[in-house]
Amino acid sequence: MEQEKNISREEGYEIIQRMLRTARHEVDNNSFYFLLWGWLVLAASVGHFILGKAGFDYPYITWALMPVGGIITAVYAMKHEKHKKVRSYVDQLMSYVLIAFLVSLVIVLAFMSVLQLYTYPIVMVIYGIWLFVSGGALRFRPLVIGGVINWGCAVAAFFVAFEMQLLLLSFAVLTGYIIPGYMLNGQWARKKNAIG
Amino acid sequence: MSNSEKKSQGFRELDPLLHSALRLAVVSLLAGVRSAEFSFIKEKTGATAGNLSVQLGKLEKAGYVEVSKSFKNNYPCTTVSLTDKGLSAFGQYAENLKTYLTV
């Protein structure tokens, strides 16, 4: 664009439209976090269930994957932040929601011994909040639906035995994280291709 | 049509600072994001670095944008964001522009 170029009113309107559209397209690919945590929790819960059935002494060892997830999340987020040239309001909201989610999760898991059988239902309530708010911010319905499914699984989990809770948790992350995560990734790739 | 005739027909004055292709593009782009790096604005507007610097300086002087300088991977990095005054001026400009397009 040339310096001090005079524009007509129609051109002014066109510039505003074009630039606002450009800003709207600058949305990050947020699917990484949903896929990472989805697969980690699925592996941990299914692994716990199988090892428990097999009579293994420490079936809960599978949850050691969670701190690994925390480290990967922190490293990825820091690396990703460094390369970002633009920060949208949605990105900012997503960062705060992710931090709120992780802090809440750590608090609940730290008091597992007090909460006992109520731990996983409460964990699923927290999952539901993250998915529902993220889905709303990204205007991505599968995540919103995933959040509702997680809340449904949380309610059901209050009434069942521990082993069944593990299966409910597996179902919750599969439908709330993994499937919407791949759909979100696909949507982002299509948008990226369309913009060129 | 003279300025007085335009005013009597409901037309409103357009902010001369924003009624320029590059400055309007920069402010419109920043209105949709929280902040953006200089290189991003340059890429999206297609402006030269020199021209963009000059126009950003004018917008900064008017209090429409905030320019902050830092280092990223050992390289200088300039980040720009729209101020409340800039956002309000942009909103007013868009409103006034509507009077020309709809009358």
Side-chain angles (χ1 to χ4, degrees):
Chain A
M1 285 182 193
E2 289 164 36
Q3 194 166 351
E4 297 289 336
K5 184 190 167 195
N6 286 324
I7 52 169
S8 66
R9 273 100 197 176
E10 286 76 16
E11 280 176 317
Y13 181 73
E14 192 271 328
I15 289 171
I16 294 174
Q17 292 284 315
R18 185 158 42 87
M19 286 297 138
L20 287 176
R21 235 184 352 256
T22 302
R24 241 199 327 267
H25 281 138
E26 286 303 318
V27 172
D28 265 355
N29 181 5
N30 289 286
S31 62
F32 174 81
Y33 300 109
F34 297 108
L35 289 173
L36 172 73
W37 285 99
W39 280 114
L40 282 180
V41 175
L42 184 70
S45 54
V46 170
H48 189 159
F49 180 82
I50 292 170
L51 291 178
K53 282 282 177 200
F56 189 69
D57 283 343
Y58 310 106
Y60 46 82
I61 191 79
T62 54
W63 293 100
L65 283 171
M66 297 304 104
V68 176
I71 293 166
I72 296 173
T73 299
V75 171
Y76 179 86
M78 278 194 291
K79 215 172 165 184
H80 194 62
E81 273 299 299
K82 266 190 180 175
H83 289 101
K84 269 169 84 170
K85 288 185 168 184
V86 62
R87 279 170 181 76
S88 68
Y89 292 103
V90 172
D91 291 339
Q92 189 184 18
L93 176 63
M94 291 294 289
S95 303
Y96 275 91
V97 173
L98 180 63
I99 293 167
F101 162 73
L102 290 175
V103 171
S104 308
L105 205 58
V106 167
I107 291 171
V108 169
L109 294 178
F111 288 94
M112 248 178 128
S113 57
V114 180
L115 295 165
Q116 294 191 350
L117 209 55
Y118 298 129
T119 305
Y120 288 147
I122 294 171
V123 163
M124 282 186 269
V125 168
I126 295 170
Y127 284 175
I129 295 170
W130 187 34
L131 295 168
F132 195 84
V133 176
S134 302
L138 296 169
R139 287 190 239 169
F140 191 64
R141 198 180 287 267
L143 281 176
V144 174
I145 295 168
V148 174
I149 292 173
N150 269 260
W151 286 331
C153 288
V155 171
F158 276 109
F159 299 100
V160 297
F162 182 70
E163 280 186 348
M164 192 60 196
Q165 285 186 347
L166 288 172
L167 294 181
L168 276 171
L169 184 62
S170 309
F171 176 75
V173 291
L174 183 68
T175 53
Y177 285 54
I178 298 174
I179 295 171
Y182 281 114
M183 289 169 80
L184 188 62
N185 193 38
Q187 189 202 53
W188 180 81
R190 280 194 299 278
K191 263 190 192 169
K192 207 76 186 158
N193 283 339
I195 299 163
Chain B
M1 198 187 293
S2 71
N3 279 345
S4 59
E5 278 175 329
K6 282 175 188 170
K7 270 185 185 168
S8 67
Q9 288 187 22
F11 291 113
R12 294 185 202 154
E13 285 293 325
L14 294 175
D15 184 341
L17 196 64
L18 293 183
H19 200 59
S20 129
L22 182 51
R23 289 195 297 268
L24 182 60
V26 170
V27 171
S28 306
L29 188 63
L30 292 174
V33 298
R34 193 164 66 92
S35 65
E37 285 181 14
F38 184 88
S39 57
F40 175 83
I41 302 171
K42 182 174 162 284
E43 179 196 322
K44 297 298 176 188
T45 58
T48 62
N51 191 14
L52 184 57
S53 289
V54 171
Q55 305 311 324
L56 279 176
K58 288 181 183 178
L59 290 170
E60 189 184 17
K61 201 175 165 194
Y64 285 8
V65 299
E66 203 174 87
V67 180
S68 58
K69 293 179 192 295
S70 60
F71 281 91
K72 194 168 160 183
N73 300 326
N74 294 326
Y75 288 99
C77 173
T78 304
T79 308
V80 189
S81 59
L82 204 58
T83 61
D84 288 345
K85 188 181 175 188
L87 189 62
S88 149
F90 175 68
Q92 192 61 57
Y93 178 89
E95 275 298 311
N96 293 352
L97 194 62
K98 260 197 236 165
T99 63
Y100 286 94
L101 298 172
T102 53
V103 175

